[in-house]
Amino acid sequence: MVSLSLLNKFIPVYLYNALMSNSKLLILFNKATPASLISMHSQGIAKEISKTLIKSGLKPFLNAPPLLSYLNSDIINFVLSDPDVPLYLCMCFINFLQREQPLVSSKPDLESYIIFILRLYKARKFAEMKNVLTFTVTEDNLRCQISDLVSLVESRFDEPNFVEKLCDMLFRVYADVNMFEYGLEVFNYMASYGLKIVERSCSVSLLALKRCGKMEACLNLFEKMLESGVEITVYSLTIVIDALCKNGKVQRAKDLLIKMSAKGIKPTIVTYNTLLNAYTKIMDFGGVNEMLKLMEMEETVYDAATYAILIGWYRSNGKFAQADKWFEEMQEREVEPDLYVYKSIIFWNCKAGKVEAAEILLNKMQSKGFDVDHVLFSTLFDGYCRRGFIDKALKVLAVMEKKGFIGGVFAYNIIACGLSNLKRQDEAKRLLFSMSEKGLMLNVVNYNALINMYCKEGNFVEAKRLFRDMKQKGERLDVVTYNTLINMYCKEGNFVEAKRLFRDMEQKGERPDVVTYNTLINMYWRGILLKQTGSFGIWSKREKGLMLSRIIP
């Protein structure tokens, strides 16, 4: 007969009472060894915890019940293994144990998580399985070598294909959290023990390596895939080619394409576009032509991206006629232009002064369901301004603002200068002064435009007021501001103030330009001639040069 002291050592009071009231349990207990008593003790507590979880969830555990004081890894594992406890409650229980550390004496260990992961695997809940696995690899006290993890799984569970699935998912998880060295360890383990390596999992790692700029590691993994007999697809090939191109190794990328083509992995249009675009970026005419020949040999059908690359390439090299031919061919083959193609052609038309053609394309683009963004508005706006179509530019600006796009201070300045050149100063000034109503502050460029307009009108009082306002707001004067004001004071005959501004200009580190010096030279001619002869006279270029030495006495 087992002693009561031994009974009390392993069994808590509430279980002891249940045991004493059940004769069959008592007989079994008397036959048990101390080791089995510990197991019975853990299982009994685990059963009570499971019942509580199923009945009331976590709420009873928040008040630190006596059950938690007996908690150990065996009890946790028994609870997580209990098929009667739903998976969501298991997850809640694990989170509780992790979160409420002061209330509990033990936390889930690696075996606990493996038990739970196995249950998720059997239930085909792979997304949840991946989330739990991600947590285990990012916790230092849970992470271990892949060989140790597999040994733990094989010694504890007998589940066909679980190890293979676990390793495959672990490989992906390490890629997701950028722990590439651990991921490579998993890959090597799987290759060494003949576990199936899924190409899709490799592509996840290749993409992650490329995203992190680890181009050599990306290529090394691809080489290992080839060595290990992983079934390579063009998707993985394209990832590596793109990685090489982005790293400036375009020739190496092309060599890999040819090598893999010989192995029966035929490039897709995406693969070709990747290399074609890379050659245009480095301005390699030969490379572009070589890619086009390869595509022609393989009878590759161009898509919208191909045409966009070619159109942009020829236009950037000034070959507008050839670019237009590509666009015409695109339409003939009924390849629908994407937004990038429309943007590219509209941009180059505007740059070449073909604003009318750009406007037609813009309308066509909108009819296809593409919305006009800020970049397109700005492109068209700039095109109208270049051609001097100020009224059309104003209409574009109005539409932009109606759609919620703010034109910006430079846009206002361009139109204001255009209006000023058309002798429409009042409109130009109203436009610039209206900027504050739209939340835009006048900057040095806008102030310069306004001051220049007032100076041309001879309204020096308003020009000086703007100058004072500019200084009060802390706006830094540039060479254009100084030149405009120096010229204004020279016209007034106020040579002292003009000279003071020149000195101030040098002290502020603003370098005078040819306009500054010409203005000052003319000022000194006028001063000297008026003083000596009472007339302005005409001076030669040589005489102007001689006067330069007299600018700063």
Side-chain angles (χ1 to χ4, degrees):
M1 189 78 173
V2 71
S3 67
L4 288 177
S5 61
L6 184 60
L7 190 67
N8 288 328
K9 183 177 180 182
F10 295 112
I11 305 297
V13 174
Y14 64 91
L15 287 178
Y16 171 81
N17 293 333
L19 185 63
M20 295 303 292
S21 64
N22 190 316
S23 57
K24 289 183 179 180
L25 285 176
L26 190 58
I27 292 169
L28 288 172
F29 183 81
N30 285 325
K31 294 179 180 179
T33 62
S36 62
L37 285 176
I38 295 172
S39 178
M40 288 176 63
H41 165 257
S42 297
Q43 288 184 51
I45 295 176
K47 201 66 180 175
E48 289 299 316
I49 291 174
S50 295
K51 287 179 181 178
T52 306
L53 278 171
I54 294 167
K55 183 180 179 180
S56 307
L58 286 176
K59 192 173 181 181
F61 298 100
L62 299 176
N63 298 320
L67 280 171
L68 294 183
S69 61
Y70 297 98
L71 205 63
N72 58 37
S73 59
D74 286 333
I75 294 170
I76 295 170
N77 293 347
F78 283 135
V79 173
L80 297 176
S81 302
D82 191 340
D84 294 330
V85 181
L87 287 170
Y88 79 92
L89 283 177
C90 287
M91 191 73 255
C92 292
F93 185 57
I94 289 174
N95 290 337
F96 168 77
L97 296 179
Q98 287 287 354
R99 185 177 65 251
E100 304 294 342
Q101 184 59 25
L103 297 177
V104 296
S105 56
S106 184
K107 292 174 67 175
D109 58 15
L110 182 57
E111 186 175 350
S112 305
Y113 282 100
I114 294 298
I115 290 169
F116 184 48
I117 287 170
L118 178 57
R119 286 194 62 190
L120 290 169
Y121 169 74
K122 289 179 177 179
R124 317 296 289 175
K125 294 184 176 295
F126 298 121
E128 292 85 348
M129 178 181 168
K130 188 179 178 184
N131 290 336
V132 176
L133 200 56
T134 301
F135 175 78
T136 64
V137 304
T138 53
E139 285 288 305
D140 291 337
N141 61 318
L142 296 174
R143 189 169 57 249
C144 68
Q145 290 187 338
I146 183 62
S147 56
D148 295 335
L149 178 63
V150 172
S151 296
L152 172 64
V153 171
E154 291 179 337
S155 64
R156 181 70 172 78
F157 311 104
D158 182 20
E159 183 64 32
N161 304 321
F162 178 58
V163 168
E164 193 168 76
K165 181 65 179 179
L166 182 67
C167 289
D168 175 67
M169 188 171 286
L170 192 60
F171 182 41
R172 290 195 189 202
V173 165
Y174 278 130
D176 290 342
V177 296
N178 297 338
M179 297 172 69
F180 301 114
E181 290 182 9
Y182 290 98
L184 188 58
E185 181 187 331
V186 174
F187 181 95
N188 291 335
Y189 181 89
M190 295 177 76
S192 299
Y193 286 89
L195 299 177
K196 183 180 179 182
I197 302 174
V198 181
E199 195 267 351
R200 178 59 185 162
S201 300
C202 294
S203 67
V204 169
S205 190
L206 290 172
L207 276 171
L209 286 165
K210 188 185 79 167
R211 185 178 61 246
C212 294
K214 297 182 179 293
M215 305 307 178
E216 283 300 323
C218 183
L219 186 61
N220 289 339
L221 176 59
F222 188 74
E223 294 289 347
K224 283 183 174 291
M225 290 166 64
L226 291 171
E227 293 169 7
S228 304
V230 177
E231 185 179 349
I232 306 293
T233 66
V234 70
Y235 179 67
S236 291
L237 173 64
T238 305
I239 293 170
V240 177
I241 284 176
D242 186 46
L244 288 168
C245 289
K246 282 183 167 59
N247 204 31
K249 298 176 180 177
V250 185
Q251 186 59 40
R252 196 171 171 186
K254 192 204 75 174
D255 292 342
L256 180 62
L257 179 140
I258 293 171
K259 175 185 173 182
M260 297 309 295
S261 294
K263 290 178 178 288
I265 301 173
K266 297 300 180 185
T268 64
I269 186 62
V270 177
T271 321
Y272 282 121
N273 285 345
T274 302
L275 267 164
L276 186 64
N277 188 54
Y279 278 121
T280 64
K281 296 289 185 188
I282 61 173
M283 301 297 288
D284 188 334
F285 291 87
V288 170
N289 292 331
E290 190 176 355
M291 289 311 303
L292 291 176
K293 287 177 183 177
L294 279 174
M295 294 168 78
E296 185 179 352
M297 286 171 57
E298 294 295 331
E299 297 182 347
T300 306
V301 179
Y302 296 175
D303 64 3
T306 317
Y307 284 109
I309 294 167
L310 293 171
I311 291 166
W313 165 250
Y314 282 103
R315 284 188 177 276
S316 64
N317 287 290
K319 299 179 179 180
F320 299 108
Q322 185 61 46
D324 290 340
K325 284 182 181 178
W326 283 117
F327 185 61
E328 289 168 10
E329 180 184 305
M330 184 181 191
Q331 293 177 307
E332 287 170 6
R333 294 187 177 183
E334 297 183 347
V335 178
E336 191 64 40
D338 59 12
L339 185 59
Y340 178 80
V341 172
Y342 277 117
K343 279 186 176 181
S344 175
I345 299 171
I346 290 169
F347 171 78
W348 286 109
N349 274 322
C350 286
K351 195 169 184 181
K354 299 178 180 179
V355 192
E356 296 87 350
E359 191 173 1
I360 292 169
L361 281 169
L362 189 69
N363 293 331
K364 186 175 181 180
M365 188 193 88
Q366 288 179 293
S367 71
K368 298 290 184 182
F370 294 112
D371 199 10
V372 183
D373 61 10
H374 187 270
V375 174
L376 278 171
F377 272 126
S378 300
T379 300
L380 195 62
F381 173 83
D382 184 59
Y384 282 134
C385 289
R386 284 172 183 268
R387 289 285 302 276
F389 299 159
I390 301 302
D391 289 320
K392 285 193 172 184
L394 277 168
K395 286 181 181 178
V396 172
L397 186 64
V399 175
M400 281 175 69
E401 293 178 344
K402 191 175 180 180
K403 286 183 173 285
F405 301 123
I406 302 300
V409 291
F410 287 103
Y412 278 91
N413 207 70
I414 289 169
I415 295 183
C417 290
L419 289 169
S420 179
N421 291 336
L422 294 172
K423 311 297 182 186
R424 294 160 65 179
Q425 275 84 1
D426 289 342
E427 289 179 68
K429 287 182 281 190
R430 279 200 301 272
L431 182 71
L432 289 174
F433 284 127
S434 72
M435 286 171 57
S436 59
E437 299 171 8
K438 297 175 175 67
L440 297 171
M441 299 295 293
L442 290 171
N443 68 3
V444 62
V445 178
N446 307 132
Y447 274 114
N448 287 344
L450 284 166
I451 290 171
N452 185 53
M453 278 186 266
Y454 281 117
C455 284
K456 283 181 177 179
E457 292 173 357
N459 189 346
F460 298 150
V461 173
E462 189 60 25
K464 291 173 185 176
R465 186 195 68 76
L466 282 169
F467 175 54
R468 289 193 299 272
D469 185 56
M470 190 178 179
K471 291 179 72 176
Q472 286 173 1
K473 290 181 178 177
E475 199 68 56
R476 181 181 173 84
L477 281 64
D478 63 10
V479 65
V480 177
T481 321
Y482 280 110
N483 286 345
T484 304
L485 291 167
I486 288 171
N487 187 55
M488 178 189 73
Y489 282 116
C490 286
K491 285 180 178 178
E492 277 189 325
N494 190 345
F495 301 145
V496 174
E497 188 61 25
K499 183 178 174 181
R500 187 194 67 75
L501 276 173
F502 178 75
R503 296 289 192 193
D504 183 67
M505 184 181 188
E506 288 186 315
Q507 288 172 4
K508 296 288 173 61
E510 200 63 54
R511 199 168 177 176
D513 61 10
V514 66
V515 175
T516 319
Y517 285 116
N518 278 340
T519 304
L520 289 171
I521 291 169
N522 288 328
M523 174 187 78
Y524 274 90
W525 303 342
R526 294 171 65 190
I528 292 168
L529 286 174
L530 283 170
K531 185 177 180 180
Q532 294 180 354
T533 66
S535 63
F536 290 99
I538 300 174
W539 290 62
S540 68
K541 287 183 179 179
R542 185 183 64 81
E543 289 169 325
K544 289 181 183 179
L546 291 173
M547 293 302 296
L548 184 60
S549 61
R550 302 184 62 182
I551 290 176
I552 306 172

